[in-house]
Amino acid sequence: MSNAIEFPKNFLWGASTSAYQIEGSPLADGAGPSIWQRFAHSPGNIRDGDTGDVACDHYRRSAQDVALMREIGLQAYRFSISWSRVMPSGRGAVNPVGIGFYDELVDRLLAQGIKPMVTLFHWDLPETLDNQGGWLNRDIADWFADYARVMFERLDDRVTSWATLNEPWVVSDGGYLNGTLAPGHHNRFEAPIAAHNLLRAHGAAVKVYREVGKHEIGLVVNLEPKYPASESAADQQAAARGHAYMNGQFLDPVFFGRYPEKMKDVYGDAWPEWPAEDFELIRQRLDFIGVNYYTRSVTRDEPSALPVRAVAVRQPLATYTETGWEVYARGLSDTLEWVAARYGNPPLYITENGAAFFDPPVAEGGRVHDPLRIDYYQKHLRAIHEVIQKGVDVRGYCAWSLLDNLEWAHGFSKRFGIVHVNFATQERTLKDSAYFYREVIATNGAVL
Ligand SMILES: OC[C@@H]1[C@@H](O)[C@H](O)[C@@H](O)c2nc(CNc3ccccc3)cn21
C-alpha cells in the first residue's frame, strides 16, 4: 500500500482573510464606520497606532489579489463582508457601491474558477448598532437576519457556501470580558449575554437562509483542545472548565440546544437564566462547521484567573509562534476527532489554520524564505489527512492567511500570510509557503 498522502477527490483547497484586516478604505463610497474603525482610532488599542485605514488596500486592489489567488492555484477563497460597508447604519438602507464591491469580487473569483466562501460577520460590527447596545441588545438577532437576507438575495445565485459568524467566542471573550478587542468592554456580566445574542443572531440568519437560500450555510468556531497539566483533580477540572468555555459554549447550543453544565461554574453569579425558546432559534440545522485551529493549551488550575480559573502552561521543548502559540498539530487531529464523536460527524471545513513567524525581508530575486511556516502547514495538513483516513468528514482547508494583514490589536507586527505584503508600497510577494501550498493543491496533498 502506498504511503503517499492523497486527500479526497473533491477536497477543497483555499485561503482566508477578513474585511477589516485587508480591505482598507473603511469609509469610502458611502461605507459606515465599524467598531474596529473606532477601536483602532482610539489611542493605545492597537500596537504602533496601526489601523485598518489602508491595511492591504484590498478594496482598491481586489483584481490584483484575485490574480494572486489564481497564481497560487486556490480553488476557494474565504472572505468576510463588512456589514457597515453594505449597510452603513447596520439597518435599513443598502449602500449600492458597498454591496457592489462584493458582487464584483464574487464575479472576479468565479471568472478564475475560485469558489467564494463568504462569512457575514468577522468582528466588525457597525458602530451605529453598537451605539444601540450591539451584541448586548436582543434585537440584534433581527438586525443581523435582515443584513443576512440582503446578502443572500444579492449573492446566493453565485455564492454556494456561507458562514454566519466568525468565532463568536473571540467576540465575547475579547470584546466583552477582557476588553482586548472591539468594542473593548471588560465586564463578566456582559460576556455571556453577548455570546448568547451572537448565537441567537446566528440562528436567525440560518432560518432566513432556509427560506431564501439554495446552498450551504454553517458557523465558524475557534477550537483549542485543553490538556490537563497534571493528573491532579484541580488541573483536570480546570481543563474541563476551559474546554466548556472555549469549545462547548458554542457547539453544544447549536447541536444540543443547551450550554455545557460547566458554564455555570465558569460564570457563577454572572450566568443568566436563558429563555428556553432561544435554543429553538439557536439550534437550526447546519450544513457544516468551520473549524479555526491554531494551537492547544496545556491547562492548569489557577484560582485567580477569573472567570475560568485556568491558565496555559508553557511547554519548554515546544516551538512557539510569534503570537505565543505552541505548534502542536496533534491538537488539530484530537480536536477534529472530538467534534466528530460528540456532534455526529458533521461536515467540516478547516476555515483557518496558520502561524505568524518572524519572516525575513524580501530577498534578492523576490523570495521570502519562511521554512517554519512550511513546516507548520506540513504538520497540520498531515494531521488532517490522518483523521480523514479514520472517517472524519473534512471537506476542505483554508490557510490563514492569503496576505500578511492587520492582526487586530497586534497591528501589522504579526505576519500570517503566505503572501508577503510591503505595507509601505503595497507590493505583494509570494512567500516560499505560497509555492509550497501551490504544490500541495496541485498534487491534492501528495507532496506532504
Ligand atoms: O490570529 C490569527 C487569526 C486572526 O487574524 C483572524 O481574524 C481570526 O479569525 C483568528 N482566530 C484565531 C484563533 N482564536 C483566537 C484566540 C485568541 C485570540 C484571538 C483569536 C486566530 N485568528
Side-chain angles (χ1 to χ4, degrees):
M1 185 175 105
S2 158
N3 288 328
I5 286 183
E6 190 170 0
F7 280 72
K9 187 166 173 299
N10 298 319
F11 193 82
L12 196 62
W13 297 99
S16 290
T17 64
S18 88
Y20 189 72
Q21 293 181 271
I22 69 164
E23 287 180 1
S25 305
L27 302 177
D29 304 324
S34 75
I35 57 173
W36 272 94
Q37 168 72 10
R38 179 178 62 198
F39 191 77
H41 283 272
S42 305
N45 285 333
I46 298 193
R47 180 172 162 167
D48 303 330
D50 291 339
T51 74
D53 289 357
V54 179
C56 305
D57 200 25
H58 176 75
Y59 181 71
R60 301 185 319 142
R61 297 168 186 266
S62 58
Q64 169 190 2
D65 290 333
V66 172
L68 274 179
M69 298 175 209
R70 182 83 171 85
E71 185 181 353
I72 296 166
L74 296 188
Q75 299 167 349
Y77 172 52
R78 174 180 176 249
F79 63 97
S80 76
I81 290 175
S82 166
W83 185 347
S84 58
R85 193 182 292 286
V86 169
M87 299 173 91
S89 302
R91 301 164 65 188
V94 172
N95 172 20
V97 179
I99 199 167
F101 168 73
Y102 296 105
D103 197 296
E104 185 179 46
L105 175 59
V106 165
D107 284 343
R108 288 190 195 283
L109 290 166
L110 293 173
Q112 297 298 330
I114 299 168
K115 177 179 180 175
M117 298 175 77
V118 176
T119 305
L120 289 169
F121 174 77
H122 197 124
W123 306 357
D124 47 354
L125 185 72
E127 183 182 62
T128 49
L129 299 185
D130 189 60
N131 294 342
Q132 298 167 63
W135 294 112
L136 302 176
N137 185 334
R138 283 180 62 89
D139 292 344
I140 198 162
D142 295 329
W143 305 341
F144 185 65
D146 291 345
Y147 155 60
R149 184 187 295 272
V150 166
M151 296 318 306
F152 298 150
E153 289 176 346
R154 179 68 179 256
L155 296 177
D156 194 56
D157 61 329
R158 287 158 286 159
V159 171
T160 59
S161 187
W162 296 88
T164 54
L165 308 174
N166 178 75
E167 299 186 344
W169 178 85
V170 176
V171 178
S172 167
D173 182 83
Y176 291 87
L177 182 65
N178 295 310
T180 53
L181 302 175
H185 296 194
H186 201 293
N187 186 318
R188 67 188 182 91
F189 291 90
E190 290 186 349
I193 292 167
H196 189 71
N197 284 329
L198 280 152
L199 282 169
R200 292 179 57 252
H202 155 79
V206 174
K207 265 186 88 171
V208 168
Y209 194 70
R210 297 307 178 208
E211 286 170 37
V212 304
K214 303 181 187 67
H215 307 291
E216 68 174 12
I217 192 164
L219 171 68
V220 174
V221 290
N222 55 293
L223 297 179
E224 181 179 289
K226 312 293 183 182
Y227 302 83
S230 76
E231 293 301 313
S232 74
D235 287 351
Q236 306 266 357
Q237 280 304 311
R241 287 193 301 273
H243 177 62
Y245 176 63
M246 187 182 269
N247 304 324
Q249 182 182 184
F250 296 92
L251 292 180
D252 276 15
V254 159
F255 282 100
F256 303 147
R258 65 174 187 274
Y259 286 109
E261 265 308 302
K262 289 203 178 302
M263 290 307 295
K264 292 190 191 99
D265 182 8
V266 167
Y267 275 113
D269 62 343
W271 185 250
E273 286 297 315
W274 306 110
E277 64 271 17
D278 287 357
F279 296 98
E280 290 317 305
L281 176 63
I282 291 169
R283 65 184 304 180
Q284 301 297 314
R285 176 182 62 81
L286 295 183
D287 301 304
F288 69 87
I289 289 294
V291 174
N292 292 353
Y293 176 85
Y294 289 86
T295 190
R296 69 160 174 178
S297 168
V298 177
T299 301
R300 70 170 173 81
D301 181 50
E302 178 43 71
S304 67
L306 296 175
V308 189
R309 309 186 310 282
V311 292
V313 176
R314 192 166 177 89
Q315 300 304 294
L317 302 179
T319 300
Y320 281 78
T321 70
E322 284 293 297
T323 48
W325 295 338
E326 181 189 358
V327 177
Y328 191 73
R330 160 64 53 198
L332 177 52
S333 36
D334 288 350
T335 295
L336 295 174
E337 289 190 273
W338 169 74
V339 172
R342 183 171 178 83
Y343 302 112
N345 201 20
L348 303 176
Y349 292 100
I350 309 303
T351 33
E352 289 180 26
N353 177 239
F357 291 111
F358 181 75
D359 292 338
V362 180
E364 283 303 307
R367 296 298 293 244
V368 179
H369 302 302
D370 57 339
L372 290 176
R373 185 169 291 106
I374 290 174
D375 182 64
Y376 181 98
Y377 280 123
Q378 195 157 45
K379 286 187 168 87
H380 287 80
L381 289 171
R382 284 173 175 165
I384 295 165
H385 183 261
E386 182 190 310
V387 300
I388 290 175
Q389 299 291 88
K390 295 180 181 178
V392 178
D393 189 3
V394 185
R395 303 267 172 104
Y397 177 89
C398 288
W400 183 271
S401 178
L402 172 70
L403 301 171
D404 290 338
N405 59 53
L406 182 77
E407 180 48 39
W408 306 111
H410 291 295
F412 298 108
S413 67
K414 303 290 180 270
R415 292 176 176 268
F416 278 86
I418 58 174
V419 174
H420 176 276
V421 176
N422 178 325
F423 292 105
T425 66
Q426 290 300 336
E427 186 177 6
R428 278 83 160 130
T429 307
L430 269 62
K431 300 180 188 177
D432 290 353
S433 54
Y435 294 104
F436 165 77
Y437 194 47
R438 182 164 69 178
E439 278 310 296
V440 169
I441 298 169
T443 63
N444 199 25
V447 293
L448 289 169

